Amino acid sequence: MTTADDFIIQLLVDKGLVSSETVESTREILQEETEVDMIPRSVLDRLIEDGVVDSRQVTEIVADEFGMPMVDSGALKPEKEALAAVSKELVLRYKVFPMHLEGNTLKVAISDPLDVDSIDNLSHVLQLSVEPVVAARKDIDDAIQKHYLEETVESQLSELGEEMKGEAAVNLAEGLPGVDDDTVTEDDAPIIRLVYMIITEAIKRRASDIHLEPLEKRFRVRYRIDGVLHEVENPPKRLQLAIISRLKIMAQISIAEKRIPQDGRIQVKLTDRELDLRVSSLPTEHGESIVMRILDKEGLKLGLPELGFLSDDQATFERIISMPDGIFLVTGPTGSGKTTTLYACLNYINRPDRKIITVEDPVEYQLGGINQVQVRTEVKMTFSAALRAMLRQAPNIIMIGEIRDPETAHIGINASLTGHMVFSTLHTNDAPSAVTRLIDIGVKPFLVSASLRATMAQRLVRRICPKCKESYKASDRELRSLNITDEEAKSATFMRGQGCDYCSGTGFRGRMGIFEIFVLTEEIESMIYDNVSTQKLRAKAREIGMRSMREDGVRKVTGGSTTFEEVLKVTLGDTY
């Protein structure tokens, strides 16, 4: 929960609108849910969702506390000059709505008066004096939808209806799989063009995922860029069914089946690039939700420095992955870059005198000179079945996409004990926990201690945009948040991005890893053999020099590569 939420909740308690007991019980419920799905949630948002407090009532109290004027939804009628002064990217990033521009002063509606940084950043980017007024968050969202998103798409579709007729529609269809030239009609043209625009715009913005989400009154489209979802042009709700049907046809999945989840793929060729879109459909209350994951099969050319390693960690990492046998595990939650790290490993050690085989679900990127095997459960080509067959191919190095079950774990361990180097991933929060996880799966402690060479936990943080980064003096609060001493701060270079066209106003471009490398020594192997707890393993590893992910993140903050907020966000539970 943010500091702003804490402050507002205390105001509500002081005014008797909610009891302390209700707040605590809501917090406990959210903690339990977070432990299950690892998604942090706001207590204040949950109180509003549950109807315990009203969002507009909350806004009134906050406005009154700060002595700021409040406007209701009827007053959110912007002037053309104000709309033209603030781009769509900026209003979506800062969740503000421009209302009036007079001279050098821009009046904007905000929902959180405590978010001073957003106002300051907006003022800096626009080179205008920003005068905030308070409005309910829902009213601001509705105004942004109406004036920045919905109308834009409507006008585009109107133009498309005129432009895309007859032969033009067929010509465009030729570039999109799943569209048969003979079946394209003039009525299809705007939808084909719109779907094409959604996909190409996502690729142009470096998105990793496209999310199309049917809500009660709108059809939301979001791109995940550098790990963060950004809302973009929302098609009108009336086009929801047509867009989803078009995508399902392209992905070669049934358009008649709307009751169960389905998976498919779209192959797109843009100039000299071939991309795979892995498509997932999920029935929801208001229609089918579509998520498309964009995989650039030829776009992965990462070396180890690009992953984010500093020189000392890179030397340790290179030594580990160059070992002749054993098992090396990369751990972390979904989306933490584990597979990308393993691909970079294989690129580094791929030489003509080594045979490398991978088994993956799915094969995300094609690697030259490496044998890659796709898991196909429908024909009983599971991880374990593929591994058994792979061992008869006499490989030097094996990569297993993920250790999911006891059978896969045992085959991987046995392969590492018989002269193979095995790379794989596990879902654990830190590096030493991988040992406990293997034992929980069913691997005997003596086998773990004999085969495991090292484990590495990682998270991804956004890199500060190189075009608009500038140095600044970190506040005392920021220094305390990461336990950085004044002496350490003197030699540090703290940087932040101001927002520019290159980074779409976000201040960040690209991501890098922060790492925790747990290397097994003879003493640690003996402790694993004795089946000691994860806490004792971690304490011993720290004693002999293991650096935690937060400490690695601190080094990258003080080096000017990322920000305090990014490191705090992904290492919240990190201990020293």
Side-chain angles (χ1 to χ4, degrees):
M1 183 166 58
T2 65
T3 305
D5 281 1
D6 280 327
F7 179 80
I8 294 169
I9 287 173
Q10 190 57 51
L11 277 179
L12 298 175
V13 171
D14 292 344
K15 293 184 179 295
L17 295 175
V18 63
S19 67
S20 300
E21 291 78 13
T22 301
V23 172
E24 287 307 314
S25 64
T26 302
R27 184 176 286 118
E28 289 173 5
I29 291 170
L30 290 179
Q31 285 175 346
E32 291 175 1
E33 292 177 354
T34 300
E35 288 174 1
V36 173
D37 58 19
M38 304 301 293
I39 302 174
R41 296 178 175 85
S42 161
V43 174
L44 180 60
D45 287 347
R46 185 59 171 264
L47 291 172
I48 293 172
E49 287 172 13
D50 292 347
V52 178
V53 292
D54 179 73
S55 61
R56 287 184 174 81
Q57 192 177 30
V58 171
T59 307
E60 288 174 5
I61 290 170
V62 172
D64 182 63
E65 180 70 17
F66 285 87
M68 294 175 66
M70 178 180 169
V71 296
D72 58 22
S73 57
L76 291 176
K77 296 179 179 177
E79 299 172 350
K80 289 183 179 179
E81 294 80 3
L83 286 176
V86 188
S87 69
K88 177 182 62 185
E89 288 77 13
L90 290 176
V91 298
L92 290 173
R93 179 187 178 191
Y94 295 116
K95 294 297 181 185
V96 299
F97 186 73
M99 297 173 60
H100 176 69
L101 178 64
E102 184 173 344
N104 197 44
T105 301
L106 177 70
K107 180 184 286 187
V108 300
I110 64 172
S111 63
D112 182 5
L114 285 170
D115 191 6
V116 179
D117 287 345
S118 289
I119 298 301
D120 289 344
N121 291 341
L122 186 65
S123 177
H124 180 85
V125 171
L126 297 175
Q127 296 297 299
L128 294 171
S129 174
V130 175
E131 177 188 323
V133 296
V134 182
R137 187 184 306 172
K138 184 179 185 304
D139 292 341
I140 291 175
D141 289 343
D142 289 345
I144 291 173
Q145 172 68 23
K146 179 179 179 182
H147 294 280
Y148 278 90
L149 305 176
E150 193 169 281
E151 285 193 350
T152 302
V153 174
E154 288 282 10
S155 61
Q156 287 176 344
L157 288 173
S158 176
E159 294 173 7
L160 293 174
E162 295 299 320
E163 293 175 2
M164 299 304 298
K165 299 291 185 182
E167 185 178 350
V170 174
N171 289 339
L172 177 59
E174 291 175 354
L176 290 175
V179 182
D180 187 342
D181 296 355
D182 296 331
T183 63
V184 174
T185 68
E186 293 187 5
D187 291 337
D188 293 326
I191 300 302
I192 295 172
R193 177 72 179 271
L194 183 57
V195 169
Y196 177 80
M197 288 169 60
I198 289 172
I199 294 173
T200 54
E201 183 67 16
I203 294 167
K204 186 170 71 175
R205 295 194 190 188
R206 304 176 298 107
S208 60
D209 305 283
I210 306 171
H211 296 250
L212 298 99
E213 302 161 314
L215 305 178
E216 184 178 4
K217 296 182 179 178
R218 62 193 181 104
F219 184 43
R220 182 168 65 181
V221 178
R222 295 191 288 177
Y223 298 154
R224 188 181 298 279
I225 304 170
D226 294 333
V228 178
L229 283 169
H230 297 267
E231 189 163 341
V232 294
E233 295 88 351
N234 284 193
K237 181 73 173 175
R238 60 186 172 80
L239 296 180
Q240 173 182 310
L241 185 59
I243 292 170
I244 289 174
S245 296
R246 173 59 63 191
L247 286 169
K248 290 174 73 174
I249 289 171
M250 292 167 66
Q252 298 181 359
I253 57 181
S254 172
I255 61 172
E257 182 56 76
K258 301 176 182 178
R259 300 164 300 172
I260 60 173
Q262 297 186 81
D263 295 308
R265 63 187 292 188
I266 300 171
Q267 290 183 304
V268 177
K269 187 169 185 178
L270 297 175
T271 61
D272 59 342
R273 295 171 64 196
E274 289 189 2
L275 299 103
D276 256 10
L277 275 63
R278 298 300 167 98
V279 182
S280 168
S281 75
L282 178 71
T284 69
E285 184 70 19
H286 303 293
E288 288 179 278
S289 172
I290 299 283
V291 175
M292 293 181 281
R293 186 177 183 192
I294 302 171
L295 303 176
D296 184 354
K297 286 183 172 291
E298 299 176 357
L300 190 81
K301 296 183 175 68
L302 285 181
L304 299 185
E306 286 79 14
L307 294 177
F309 285 111
L310 297 178
S311 57
D312 54 348
D313 279 346
Q314 183 172 330
T316 302
F317 186 74
E318 289 175 358
R319 179 174 58 82
I320 293 167
I321 64 176
S322 299
M323 290 179 176
D325 56 30
I327 187 165
F328 172 60
L329 298 174
V330 182
T331 77
T334 301
S336 59
K338 301 186 297 295
T339 304
T340 300
T341 296
L342 289 184
Y343 279 139
C345 288
L346 297 181
N347 273 332
Y348 179 79
I349 60 179
N350 186 16
R351 298 202 305 262
D353 62 338
R354 291 177 173 175
K355 176 156 185 167
I356 303 175
I357 305 181
T358 75
V359 53
E360 307 168 60
D361 184 21
V363 174
E364 296 188 11
Y365 302 99
Q366 292 177 347
L367 301 173
I370 293 176
N371 301 276
Q372 295 174 268
V373 178
Q374 168 75 53
V375 168
R376 300 186 187 279
T377 52
E378 67 274 12
V379 293
K380 298 184 179 179
M381 183 66 157
T382 61
F383 274 108
S384 55
L387 273 171
R388 286 195 189 90
M390 284 162 55
L391 291 174
R392 293 193 289 272
Q393 296 276 312
N396 301 104
I397 296 157
I398 296 169
M399 187 192 96
I400 307 169
E402 181 185 344
I403 292 179
R404 299 180 177 179
D405 53 62
E407 194 174 9
T408 304
H410 279 105
I411 297 171
I413 293 286
N414 289 331
S416 71
L417 292 172
T418 54
H420 304 86
M421 187 64 194
V422 179
F423 299 123
S424 191
T425 68
L426 270 181
H427 289 285
T428 64
N429 288 329
D430 62 2
S433 295
V435 172
T436 308
R437 176 68 180 143
L438 285 174
I439 294 171
D440 287 344
I441 286 176
V443 182
K444 299 295 184 184
F446 74 89
L447 289 175
V448 176
S449 66
S451 61
L452 193 62
R453 296 292 177 260
T455 65
M456 184 178 78
Q458 69 176 66
R459 300 290 187 275
L460 293 176
V461 295
R462 291 184 290 175
R463 293 180 188 266
I464 300 170
C465 174
K467 302 283 189 183
C468 63
K469 70 191 305 184
E470 66 175 21
S471 61
Y472 77 104
K473 180 176 170 49
S475 67
D476 290 340
R477 179 183 62 82
E478 288 177 319
L479 295 176
R480 286 196 304 271
S481 69
L482 290 179
N483 290 344
I484 298 174
T485 65
D486 291 338
E487 194 64 32
E488 291 170 330
K490 287 178 183 177
S491 59
T493 305
F494 298 112
M495 308 289 286
R496 62 185 171 192
Q498 292 303 303
C500 64
D501 291 341
Y502 186 64
C503 61
S504 301
T506 63
F508 298 94
R509 187 176 174 95
R511 288 191 289 176
M512 65 191 301
I514 58 174
F515 307 98
E516 175 180 274
I517 304 177
F518 174 57
V519 181
L520 273 69
T521 63
E522 288 186 4
E523 190 173 359
I524 289 177
E525 287 176 4
S526 177
M527 293 173 70
I528 294 172
Y529 185 87
D530 293 334
N531 201 14
V532 303
S533 67
T534 301
Q535 289 78 9
K536 290 182 179 178
L537 287 175
R538 184 173 184 82
K540 174 55 68 175
R542 300 279 289 145
E543 184 183 311
I544 60 179
M546 184 185 79
R547 188 181 296 110
S548 72
M549 280 183 285
R550 176 165 289 188
E551 288 169 330
D552 191 41
V554 167
R555 296 200 301 167
K556 285 158 186 173
V557 170
T558 55
S561 299
T562 190
T563 64
F564 287 88
E565 293 79 7
E566 285 295 300
V567 173
L568 286 168
K569 184 168 62 178
V570 298
T571 61
L572 188 61
D574 201 4
T575 56
Y576 284 81

